[in-house]
Amino acid sequence: MTGLIETYRVEAYNTSKLSENKIHDDAVARRFGFSGGLVPGVDAMAYMMHVPVSKWGRAFLERGLIEARFVKPVYDGEIAEVTGEENDDVISIEVSSRGELCATGTASLPASAPSFSMSEFPQTAAIAERKPVSPTSYEVGQWLGTVPRAWIGEAAAEYLRDVRERDPIFAREGLGHPGLLQRVMNKVLVDNAVLGPWIHVGSRMQLLNPAQNGDELTARARVTANYEKKGHRFVELDALVVANGRTPLAHCHHVAIYQPRELAAA
């Protein structure tokens, strides 16, 4: 099957203006050459997820695969246009705003969800005392955990409002939005080091089970790469996001600039 999918338009919202990551703060982001605080990449990815969820519904939440790469910022209050084109059961997705391409990605629906052994992803606690980030914060082969988090009741509803999600499936079936799993992946970095401004640049997420509203979420992540490129310091993670300590929800590959070159050179 081939064809264009109706454009999905979102008035972007910067959910992290007050977060510890000051790349979302207008004044700080301008010092890094941006027009203002960046809308989090995980939220831009949530906008993208609307397309396959509209196409495949609950089946996508049970076993869908999505990849995203962020190339330009989306800014608070601007219109983000999410377009999709389906070719041979793969949807190519683009996010554009202010006349610029901001993100690209693909989504597909495997015949079945792959299986993962929980024993291959050992339960790991976040470190007890975070220290300022350095190349040793994320050593290749290191296992990292997160502080458990849950979005229950009004918090879950607020998240859907924040990412402008209009599909009724989440409220109707009591499901957690998969964008929350990406937030947990960000927490792997935040819960294990004190970071300065940092940038999420891409992710691949294979969904394994639908999240339920109120699930307690954690990630079990292994650092697979830590390198310098064009002056930036990057980290790559391979992780399982788990509900309530027992149900695997997603297998994720997560890439971030944990020290932009302006800080790495300092």
Side-chain angles (χ1 to χ4, degrees), residues 127-131 192:
I127 63 171
E129 181 181 356
R130 297 189 304 156
K131 296 180 180 179
N192 291 284

Side-chain angles (χ1 to χ4, degrees), residues 52-194:
V53 171
S54 294
K55 169 73 176 177
W56 292 305
R58 187 183 178 106
F60 181 79
L61 302 176
E62 292 173 343
R63 62 180 191 275
L65 173 65
I66 186 166
E67 298 186 56
R69 179 174 177 267
F70 310 111
V71 293
K72 292 281 187 178
V74 175
Y75 293 107
D76 187 65
E78 299 287 349
I79 299 300
E81 293 193 335
V82 185
T83 58
E85 182 175 358
E86 186 176 3
N87 289 285
D88 297 326
D89 298 321
V90 175
I91 301 175
S92 298
I93 305 172
E94 294 185 347
V95 180
S96 299
S97 185
R98 304 203 304 186
E100 294 187 312
L101 179 64
C102 299
T104 63
T106 60
S108 58
L109 187 68
S112 60
S115 61
F116 288 87
S117 170
M118 295 279 281
S119 64
E120 295 177 1
F121 292 83
Q123 185 171 350
T124 306
I127 63 171
E129 181 181 356
R130 297 189 304 156
K131 296 180 180 179
V133 71
S134 73
T136 62
S137 300
Y138 311 119
E139 294 185 340
V140 174
Q142 181 180 4
W143 284 95
L144 301 171
T146 59
V147 176
R149 286 172 173 79
W151 285 263
I152 301 171
E154 178 55 27
E158 182 181 22
Y159 173 80
L160 294 176
R161 293 193 294 269
D162 285 349
V163 298
R164 308 320 198 218
E165 182 54 67
R166 301 191 288 268
D167 195 304
I169 189 172
F170 300 103
R172 184 181 67 239
E173 301 192 24
L175 300 176
H177 193 286
L180 292 171
L181 312 184
Q182 286 293 300
R183 285 196 176 184
V184 172
M185 288 302 301
N186 274 354
K187 294 301 183 184
V188 175
L189 303 177
V190 173
D191 287 352
N192 291 284
V194 179

